[in-house]
């Protein structure tokens, strides 16, 4: 479903990704862990071409997104992204936040866009909040609305960049529950997270990154439970 080959990204002289290779199979959940500044966000942003890689290739569903002739907007449409900061439009209702891209990008009619929005709000447990504005929601509700917005675009792949890091601790659980359900429903997910319990339970594979490289990867029981590399051990000692 996703294949990344020898991905490099530099900002000026700073090489942030130093040759990343990995694959995500359809329906898999991959959790990416690692210290701050190790390049996790840059990796996700390169997968949907919010950043242009300096070198290397990204394939999604066999289509090379890094190919120079690609229609980036069309390719990106298949990929949903959820950020640490929810990035909802503050001046739009929750319903309008979820219908706007469907209408503008997918050219869906109003009724269909609203139907899809409400179905996805129900999925994240927010069906009564359709008429509310972002400021009237808790952080956890805003993040769930952002997930519903991404899902309404019918993505093949969902990218999550520390989706619970900005939340008060008591609001984290509801968001993780939604993500767990999404995983059970078979969504392919690439998740940057510090929630080790979630990674342990939900991930098919955990990838540990440090300093722009993958240090080790494998099943959660192996990477979180029995890490081999000193850097992984050090990181886990800090977060567990
Ligand atoms: P992580 O998500 O693992 O914390 P990031 O991918 O955000 O790491 O950042 C990795 C490194 O790249 C950091 O040193 C960061 O300062 C740098 N970086 C990220 N984005 C930019 C940018 N747009 N311009 C310059 N440097 C950047
Ligand atoms: Mg980050």
């Amino acid at each position: 479903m996703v294949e990344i080959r020898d991905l490099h990204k530099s900002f000026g002289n700073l090489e942030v990704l130093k040759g990343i290779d990995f694959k995500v199979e359809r329906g898999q959940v991959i959790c990416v862990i690692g210290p701050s500044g190790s390049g996790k966000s840059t990796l996700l942003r390169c997968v949907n071409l919010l950043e242009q890689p300096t070198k290397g290739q990204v394939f999604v569903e066999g289509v090379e997104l890094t190919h120079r002739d690609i229609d980036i907007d069309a390719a990106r449409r298949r990929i949903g992204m959820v950020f640490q900061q929810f990035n909802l439009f503050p001046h739009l209702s929750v319903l309008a936040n979820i219908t706007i891209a469907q209408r503008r990008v997918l050219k869906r009619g109003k009724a269909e866009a609203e139907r899809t929005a409400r179905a996805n709000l129900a999925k994240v447990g927010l069906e009564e909040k359709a008429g509310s504005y972002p400021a009237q929601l808790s952080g956890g509700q805003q993040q769930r609305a952002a997930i519903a917005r991404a899902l309404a675009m019918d993505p093949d792949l969902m990218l999550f960049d520390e989706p619970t890091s900005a939340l008060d601790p008591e609001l984290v659980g509801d968001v993780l529950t939604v993500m767990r359900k999404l995983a059970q429903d078979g969504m392919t997910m690439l998740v940057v997270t510090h929630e080790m319990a979630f990674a342990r339970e939900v991930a098919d594979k955990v990838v540990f990154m440090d300093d722009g490289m993958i240090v080790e990867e494998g099943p959660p029981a192996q990477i979180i439970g029995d890490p081999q590399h000193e850097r992984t051990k050090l990181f886990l000692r800090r977060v567990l």
Side-chain angles (χ1 to χ4, degrees):
M1 166 105 217
V2 182
E3 183 172 359
I4 292 165
R5 286 192 205 151
D6 195 31
L7 189 70
H8 292 253
K9 176 67 186 178
S10 297
F11 295 107
N13 291 330
L14 181 68
E15 191 173 35
V16 170
L17 298 178
K18 302 178 178 175
I20 301 278
D21 293 88
F22 73 89
K23 284 186 192 174
V24 187
E25 308 291 345
R26 184 184 304 281
Q28 270 191 332
V29 178
I30 310 292
C31 286
V32 180
I33 63 172
S36 177
S38 57
K40 306 179 299 295
S41 295
T42 304
L43 172 62
L44 283 200
R45 294 168 61 82
C46 282
V47 170
N48 69 355
L49 296 196
L50 286 176
E51 297 288 357
Q52 186 66 42
T54 315
K55 184 182 161 208
Q57 294 165 300
V58 176
F59 297 87
V60 175
E61 297 264 43
V63 177
E64 186 191 341
L65 301 197
T66 37
H67 196 280
R68 58 182 114 55
D69 299 334
I70 195 86
D71 176 351
I72 289 187
D73 291 330
R76 207 183 267 145
R77 227 166 272 166
R78 327 284 305 266
I79 305 175
M81 182 141 181
V82 174
F83 302 87
Q84 183 173 334
Q85 299 301 339
F86 331 115
N87 297 348
L88 295 171
F89 297 115
H91 60 293
L92 295 181
S93 69
V94 167
L95 189 72
N97 262 283
I98 302 177
T99 53
I100 188 167
Q102 294 186 66
R103 301 205 58 194
R104 288 195 185 161
V105 179
L106 301 182
K107 310 291 181 206
R108 285 181 182 154
K110 187 165 189 278
E112 187 192 0
E114 291 191 354
R115 202 179 332 111
T116 308
R118 289 183 195 283
N120 282 291
L121 279 171
K123 245 189 218 173
V124 302
L126 286 181
E127 54 271 72
E128 344 70 85
K129 298 293 184 186
S132 302
Y133 284 80
Q136 298 170 312
L137 304 183
S138 73
Q141 290 170 333
Q142 288 185 53
Q143 190 59 300
R144 285 185 281 144
I147 293 172
R149 179 176 60 178
L151 292 175
M153 302 297 282
D154 294 329
D156 298 318
L157 168 69
M158 285 283 287
L159 308 176
F160 291 87
D161 192 358
E162 299 196 35
T164 61
S165 293
L167 300 178
D168 292 333
E170 75 271 21
L171 303 177
V172 167
D174 288 343
V175 172
L176 293 180
T177 298
V178 165
M179 291 171 64
R180 205 176 282 122
K181 203 164 68 183
L182 205 53
Q184 280 160 3
D185 290 348
M187 178 61 76
T188 310
M189 296 162 58
L190 189 52
V191 184
V192 174
T193 186
H194 294 297
E195 295 291 334
M196 293 302 139
F198 174 83
R200 219 184 244 273
E201 180 196 329
V202 179
D204 296 289
K205 185 164 81 177
V206 173
V207 172
F208 173 70
M209 275 182 73
D210 194 10
D211 195 23
M213 286 177 289
I214 293 178
V215 176
E216 57 184 313
E217 60 179 284
Q222 180 189 321
I223 302 301
I224 300 173
D226 184 26
Q228 298 303 304
H229 289 258
E230 211 42 57
R231 285 194 276 177
T232 320
K233 290 179 193 171
L234 190 65
F235 172 76
L236 288 169
R237 231 176 278 141
R238 283 199 219 111
V239 298
L240 285 177

